[in-house]
Amino acid sequence: MPASAYAEPLARLGDRVDVTSVQIDSVAFPAPRTESERTLREYVGDPADIARAVAGQDVLIVHGAPVSSQVLDAAPLRLVCCARGGPVNVDVAAATARGIPVVNTPGKNAEAVAELTIAFALLLIRAVPRASRHLLDGGGFSESVFDGKEFFGREAASVTLGLVGFGRVGREVAPRARALGFTVIAYDPQVHDAADAEPVSLDVLLDRSDIVSLHARATAENRHMFSADLFARMRPGACFINTARESLVDEAALSAALAAGTLSGAALDVLERPAPGERQPLLDTPGVFVTPHIGGATEETLNRGARRAVAAVASLLAGQVPADVLNPQVLQAGSVRT
């Protein structure tokens, strides 16, 4: 996320703020050195560098930079804003212990991820991964418009799309899918008002869906929730989409289901990292289409995150409680320190 993405929304605050920015251009990061750093995930940069940069500041806005206890102790911060859906690069517990509110921007990439999900669904029902692989493996172009019967697909109106997880992304997928003609069903134990989708049990969803699309939030409890058992319970010949998190899927079980023909295809935006020097096996699995975690990679997503992070600063300046405070227990009498 370029620092320039914040320029326009910050300019609207005028001379009420004095801005210092640091751009982290490398994707490298040092090995964790403290217990706090070991709690962080998916970050770039060195916490020591961030600690030096934050000295003398009142508010810290980050996207991928690490916010460890060392960073939090480097200045009397009044607010930390993490311009991403999951603040995995922020030690929220350490901030809470110091009385510092932390806000994030949940759902900022929901529209982008939903659109990629729809693209995946269309690619799968039209057998695009297999057709593309045919050419990459040396197959020829058809000589006639009547060739290509091995790549016959289906149209959206004949396909049932099952959404596992009906949070912010799932709620964006459903109306887009319905507009194309998909029948949309959804399973989410926390949601009972699935607008634009028929709420069903997980068993019913697996039995009825031609495509199962995963949109659950990853937790320690649901690691490998899609296991050999769930893949075996899916409709024979169904397809699988994962634009959520790689930890939700047992990739060995997915590979086995594809090899056995239980599943006819998969589209994945996230994969487990292979061991150093090894190639991710799903990259070479027939019927699988893979992208390198681009679900939220749009200009609109970045700008939306920047605007919402700066909106939290505006709330602080107005003496109001910002939206999306992750640790509201640090707030007293419904306000923040201004």
Side-chain angles (χ1 to χ4, degrees):
M1 185 174 193
S4 59
Y6 297 99
E8 189 271 335
L10 283 169
R12 296 182 183 179
L13 300 181
D15 59 6
R16 291 181 294 170
V17 298
D18 182 19
V19 179
T20 300
S21 63
V22 176
Q23 182 70 52
I24 302 172
D25 292 317
S26 171
V27 297
F29 57 91
R33 294 163 294 212
T34 67
E35 285 301 317
S36 178
E37 291 178 13
R38 279 187 275 274
T39 69
L40 309 182
R41 295 186 291 113
E42 296 181 17
Y43 65 90
V44 294
D46 190 329
D49 293 336
I50 308 304
R52 284 189 290 271
V54 81
Q57 307 297 315
D58 298 297
V59 174
L60 175 61
I61 299 178
V62 299
H63 182 254
V67 183
S68 63
S69 58
Q70 178 188 9
V71 174
L72 296 167
D73 288 336
L77 292 170
R78 290 185 270 168
L79 181 67
V80 172
C81 306
C82 182
R84 60 196 298 185
V88 294
N89 53 309
V90 178
D91 188 341
V92 178
T96 302
R98 291 158 175 76
I100 303 170
V102 179
V103 304
N104 67 328
T105 57
K108 71 161 189 174
N109 64 352
E111 292 94 332
V113 176
E115 290 181 0
L116 185 66
T117 300
I118 295 297
F120 278 176
L122 293 173
L123 287 168
L124 288 170
I125 66 174
R126 290 303 307 274
V128 172
R130 287 194 296 112
S132 178
R133 177 75 65 176
H134 166 75
L135 293 176
L136 291 172
D137 290 343
F141 285 92
S142 297
E143 298 297 329
S144 164
V145 295
F146 301 106
D147 289 343
K149 61 182 180 296
E150 66 268 35
F151 305 119
F152 262 44
R154 299 175 63 181
E155 297 174 12
S158 70
V159 175
T160 296
L161 174 63
L163 308 178
V164 177
F166 205 70
R168 295 174 187 268
V169 175
R171 289 177 183 274
E172 293 290 341
V173 173
R176 289 168 169 79
R178 283 177 54 114
L180 289 169
F182 286 96
T183 297
V184 185
I185 59 179
Y187 163 74
D188 191 320
Q190 306 300 321
V191 177
H192 306 287
D193 59 341
D196 294 306
E198 176 191 352
V200 296
S201 68
L202 181 59
D203 283 337
V204 168
L205 183 142
L206 297 173
D207 181 65
R208 286 177 51 187
S209 298
D210 300 296
I211 303 174
V212 173
S213 187
L214 183 52
H215 301 287
R217 178 170 287 278
T219 67
E221 291 72 32
N222 64 10
R223 176 173 172 78
H224 287 183
M225 65 176 292
F226 262 83
S227 59
D229 173 60
L230 260 61
F231 287 126
R233 288 155 58 188
M234 287 175 60
R235 172 179 286 191
C239 294
F240 180 72
I241 294 173
N242 184 12
T243 55
R245 291 294 179 184
E246 66 277 7
S247 64
L248 297 168
V249 178
D250 181 338
E251 292 182 354
L254 173 59
S255 295
L258 289 161
T262 305
L263 302 183
S264 63
L268 311 168
D269 189 41
V270 286
L271 285 175
E272 296 276 6
R273 283 188 172 86
E278 294 185 7
R279 181 173 171 83
Q280 230 290 348
L282 281 168
L283 292 175
D284 302 310
T285 301
V288 176
F289 186 82
V290 181
T291 51
H293 201 174
I294 63 171
T298 66
E299 293 183 11
E300 291 83 357
T301 290
L302 293 183
N303 293 334
R304 196 177 296 119
R307 289 195 303 270
R308 288 174 58 183
V310 174
V313 181
S315 295
L316 176 72
L317 292 169
Q320 300 170 349
V321 176
D324 301 312
V325 177
L326 292 161
N327 51 350
Q329 61 269 40
V330 306
L331 305 176
Q332 295 181 355
S335 63
V336 294
R337 183 164 57 91
T338 59

